[in-house]
Amino acid sequence: MNRRVFLAGLGVLAACGPSRPRLNVYNWSNYIAPETIPAFEAEFGVRVRYATYESNEEMLAKVLSGNSGWDVVFPTHNRIPPMRHYGLLAPLRHAWLPNLANLDARFRSPSWDPGLEWSVPYMWNATGIAYSRGVSPAPAAWANLWDPRLKGRLTMLDDPEDVLGACLRKLALPFSSTDPDELRRAAREAIRQKPLLRAYLNAEVRDQLVAGDVLVAQMWSTTAQQAIDASPRLAFAYPAEGFPLYLDNAVILRESRRQALAHRFIDYLLRPRVSATIAETTRTATANAAAQALLPASIRDNPTLYPPPEIFQRGIWPAALPAAAQKLRDRLWTEIKAA
Amino acid sequence: MSRLRSWFLVPAWLWMGGLFAAPFAIVLAYSFLTRGAYGGLDLPWTLESYQRLADPLYLSILLRSFLMAAAATAICLVLAFPLALFISRSGRRRNLYLQLVILPFWSSFLVRLYAWLFLLRDTGLINTALQALHLIREPLPLLYNDGAVLLGLVYGYLPFMVLPIYATLERLDPALLEAAADLGARPFSALWRVTVPLSAPGIRAGVILVFIPCLGAYLTPDLLGGGRSVMIGNLVQNQFTTARDWPFGAAVSVALMAVVTLLVVLFLRRGEEAL
């Protein structure tokens, strides 16, 4: 290689190096469409480093350092108060987010961030009951998951918040209870249910529902819809006692040195067409009303992904838990698991 | 010359320092900190996490893990010794058999555990075959119980028992067995009184190599046990994820390491005395 070629090469490297800014986006896995990022890069002349995580804890463990290298992440709504408490979030400039107007009215003033000063609702999901239509009567309430006839064909999620929450609602107690007596009563319900359970399974149960090994499962609506797509024998119920709703949100980290670009990215995600493509590919409920209007009727009217208003209003937004309650819940969860 | 030799140790020191000593120091430090309001770590320094360990709930999980690991080790030993003996006496085929023992390592442990899921579940290969042969009517509950966890542990760690036992048996001088026969020992008696004692170093190494990872196992109980029963590894994992209690998770890890170190030291010392 002679010197001129080498220098020319350096020039090319320089041109696509520092002059093209890079945005770092850390999102849940399977939470975006394949074309979302390339189209953004092409339109804005930037590069995006995109990586995925499987749980809020995985993301928080990295971001808590305040020096993680990420600009935009997608915490669930009840992680937003803790992230603010630790000073991890940058305030949003609404002037840079004109597409906020596309949001569904139900998500415009949430209790955890009433003015959307820190977070932009992205996609949401609920926990309910996935079941085989052969089960009679069809489960319609958490209390139905204690039916001895389901022994060995029933699973609960491997998640203390959802399991204790279902037990608390069965007892007509608050889903996000922090009261030690109430929590102990809920744990007793869970221990009473354990002999009926096949296992505590998360997404892995999907294949076993489809295969027919499992007849009834506590399940997230998005995962349940994937199982229903694979087997029309399956259905999903939103329990009568109330059920948890989980909303994931785009936030900008305070550590980010690309605040303007991060805003541009979030505003891009709020475009109706972009958001609709994501919602259609991932088959997850979008918080964007304008995008919902663009979806094919088969998805828009899907009762599992988008429950009708009279069901949606039974939904409960799980709250961030104080340390003492979290500690007790974990001890009770270990007790349930060891029982 | 000795100067040069000490340089050869540099990679090992860097390895131990960077990948063992430093992380262990971090875990040790975490275990004395306080859980942050929403996870993470906070001051002050405290012994609280260690005090919580005395809770009978956590002791019972530790005991259960010991029993599971001990059972898995015993089963591995019973299966591995005859196999190692067979391989060491199969002449030119030895290398082929050894390759077969190592073969499972060619694919990831996670993938192989998922394969077991497909074999063991109600609509899995085993139950479907037994039903097709009319040997059973209802599928057997093969998955999500202690038996499945034990199977997974034995399956996963069997090669770690076979290889060290094979290594000692292979070096065994056949003349010793001839001498035993000349002195009137029947084959079984020669096996029990000559071969087994002489392979003790391999058995000890195998027991340690199987028992320790089984004690800390978390993937196998999680996938094959279906989260219905916890081992100590699941407890640690849960503290660092769902429970967001890093100090307690770190304290459990440190306690586990201390107990394991103690056991290994005792075990090895007894072995040396026996020689």
Side-chain angles (χ1 to χ4, degrees):
Chain A
M1 181 158 52
N2 67 42
R3 219 168 82 187
R4 221 171 48 195
V5 175
F6 178 71
L7 288 174
L10 270 187
V12 172
L13 276 178
C16 62
S19 68
R20 261 181 79 190
R22 190 180 76 173
L23 186 70
N24 303 288
V25 179
Y26 197 32
N27 196 356
W28 294 84
S29 60
N30 187 34
Y31 230 36
I32 211 157
E35 60 266 45
T36 312
I37 297 293
F40 177 77
E41 287 176 320
E43 183 176 336
F44 291 88
V46 295
R47 288 180 307 149
V48 174
R49 179 168 69 111
Y50 188 82
T52 60
Y53 54 88
E54 302 290 336
S55 70
N56 281 300
E57 282 62 42
E58 191 183 339
M59 178 271 291
L60 280 171
K62 294 194 174 132
V63 164
L64 268 175
S65 69
N67 183 26
S68 65
W70 297 107
D71 299 301
V72 178
V73 297
F74 294 78
T76 303
H77 70 274
N78 53 1
R79 303 314 199 279
I80 288 169
M83 289 181 82
R84 278 191 59 194
H85 170 90
Y86 283 113
L88 298 173
L89 302 182
L92 298 174
R93 297 196 193 187
H94 284 205
W96 290 354
L97 299 170
N99 287 326
L100 269 182
N102 294 331
L103 280 181
D104 191 322
R106 291 178 293 183
F107 306 116
R108 275 196 206 160
S109 184
S111 59
W112 54 88
D113 183 12
L116 296 182
E117 291 170 78
W118 310 93
S119 61
V120 175
Y122 182 56
M123 296 209 281
W124 57 280
N125 159 25
T127 307
I129 303 170
Y131 63 95
S132 166
R133 288 180 197 277
V135 175
S136 155
W142 293 124
N144 296 144
L145 303 186
W146 274 255
D147 183 343
R149 285 173 299 176
L150 295 174
K151 187 173 165 52
R153 313 296 294 274
L154 167 72
T155 65
M156 294 292 276
L157 288 169
D158 194 5
D159 182 297
E161 187 170 38
D162 275 316
V163 171
L164 285 172
C167 296
L168 285 162
R169 290 312 300 153
K170 176 177 184 272
L171 298 168
L173 298 170
F175 184 91
S176 297
S177 172
T178 56
D179 178 273
D181 284 335
E182 294 179 357
L183 288 170
R184 287 204 187 89
R185 281 175 63 198
R188 274 200 296 276
E189 282 298 314
I191 291 172
R192 210 163 61 74
Q193 183 199 34
K194 198 177 171 192
L196 302 179
L197 291 184
R198 180 184 179 80
Y200 293 98
L201 297 179
N202 291 338
E204 309 98 277
V205 79
R206 183 182 51 210
D207 298 333
Q208 301 189 37
L209 272 166
V210 172
D213 294 25
V214 171
L215 295 179
V216 177
Q218 186 190 31
M219 190 34 62
W220 302 302
S221 53
T222 308
T223 317
Q225 185 53 46
Q226 291 164 3
I228 294 169
D229 286 342
S231 164
R233 284 184 306 99
L234 300 172
F236 186 76
Y238 282 96
E241 303 97 328
F243 53 87
L245 286 162
Y246 296 101
L247 174 69
D248 295 312
N249 302 268
V251 301
I252 303 175
L253 296 178
R254 173 159 287 174
E255 63 174 85
S256 168
R257 277 164 302 178
R258 302 163 199 87
Q259 297 283 338
L261 182 56
H263 277 84
R264 233 170 273 151
F265 179 70
I266 292 177
D267 199 52
Y268 166 81
L269 290 182
L270 284 166
R271 288 183 194 170
R273 189 70 264 167
V274 173
S275 174
T277 308
I278 295 172
E280 202 175 336
T281 335
T282 61
R283 298 195 65 107
T284 308
T286 176
N288 189 315
Q292 214 182 321
L294 294 178
L295 290 172
S298 63
I299 294 184
R300 198 176 56 221
D301 301 332
N302 179 308
T304 303
L305 294 178
Y306 298 98
E310 66 275 14
I311 290 181
F312 186 85
Q313 65 170 5
R314 289 207 306 268
I316 300 158
W317 294 106
L321 294 165
Q326 178 69 46
K327 234 174 182 169
L328 176 61
R329 279 169 171 255
D330 174 60
R331 194 185 179 291
L332 293 171
W333 180 240
T334 311
E335 234 170 77
I336 295 167
K337 286 302 204 69
Chain B
M1 184 60 206
S2 71
R3 279 277 298 275
L4 188 66
R5 246 180 46 192
S6 63
W7 279 104
F8 289 156
L9 285 176
V10 168
W13 277 113
L14 287 177
W15 181 274
M16 287 300 280
L19 298 175
F20 176 74
F24 181 71
I26 292 172
V27 169
L28 195 64
Y30 278 12
S31 72
F32 291 104
L33 283 164
T34 308
R35 179 191 191 276
Y38 296 101
L41 300 157
D42 245 326
L43 287 169
W45 300 92
T46 167
L47 282 173
E48 197 219 324
S49 298
Y50 288 95
Q51 284 159 357
R52 276 172 69 193
L53 274 178
D55 186 329
L57 174 65
Y58 301 120
L59 291 178
S60 78
I61 293 174
L62 190 65
L63 180 69
R64 234 188 74 82
S65 310
F66 266 98
L67 293 178
M68 290 292 280
T73 311
I75 298 173
C76 277
L77 182 59
V78 169
L79 293 175
F81 191 87
L83 179 61
L85 194 64
F86 169 80
I87 297 175
S88 72
R89 296 193 183 167
S90 33
R92 285 166 51 189
R93 289 225 162 133
R94 272 182 193 185
N95 282 334
L96 172 69
Y97 293 145
L98 279 180
Q99 290 299 324
L100 290 177
V101 169
I102 302 168
L103 194 67
F105 292 131
W106 291 13
S107 62
S108 134
F109 187 50
L110 185 65
V111 172
R112 288 182 282 137
L113 278 185
Y114 271 106
W116 276 108
L117 278 181
F118 282 101
L119 287 174
L120 296 177
R121 65 192 220 189
D122 283 8
T123 48
L125 200 60
I126 296 174
N127 272 318
T128 316
L130 289 176
Q131 278 172 315
L133 293 170
H134 297 286
L135 291 172
I136 52 169
R137 278 240 195 99
E138 289 292 308
L140 300 172
L142 300 174
L143 200 55
Y144 303 134
N145 49 45
D146 286 351
V149 176
L150 211 52
L151 173 81
L153 291 175
V154 170
Y155 164 76
Y157 296 107
L158 188 61
F160 294 104
M161 187 68 92
V162 175
L163 295 175
I165 297 181
Y166 166 80
T168 51
L169 288 177
E170 193 233 348
R171 279 184 313 227
L172 199 74
D173 187 349
L176 291 171
L177 288 174
E178 282 168 28
D182 288 346
L183 292 169
R186 292 177 177 278
F188 183 78
S189 161
L191 175 76
W192 187 246
R193 295 174 64 182
V194 179
T195 313
V196 170
L198 285 174
S199 62
I203 293 176
R204 262 200 303 278
V207 165
I208 288 176
L209 285 176
V210 172
F211 183 77
I212 292 176
C214 281
L215 191 61
Y218 97 91
L219 204 55
T220 314
D222 195 46
L223 283 179
L224 300 182
R228 280 177 54 93
S229 61
V230 269
M231 283 177 66
I232 203 87
N234 307 101
L235 181 65
V236 173
Q237 192 240 2
N238 189 51
Q239 297 308 315
F240 279 95
T241 55
T242 326
R244 280 172 277 157
D245 196 338
W246 295 7
F248 186 56
V252 177
S253 312
V254 171
L256 181 65
M257 264 189 269
V259 172
V260 166
T261 312
L262 190 75
L263 281 178
V264 170
V265 167
L266 286 177
F267 188 67
L268 288 179
R269 184 171 296 166
R270 259 193 56 195
E272 273 162 27
E273 280 165 7
L275 278 180

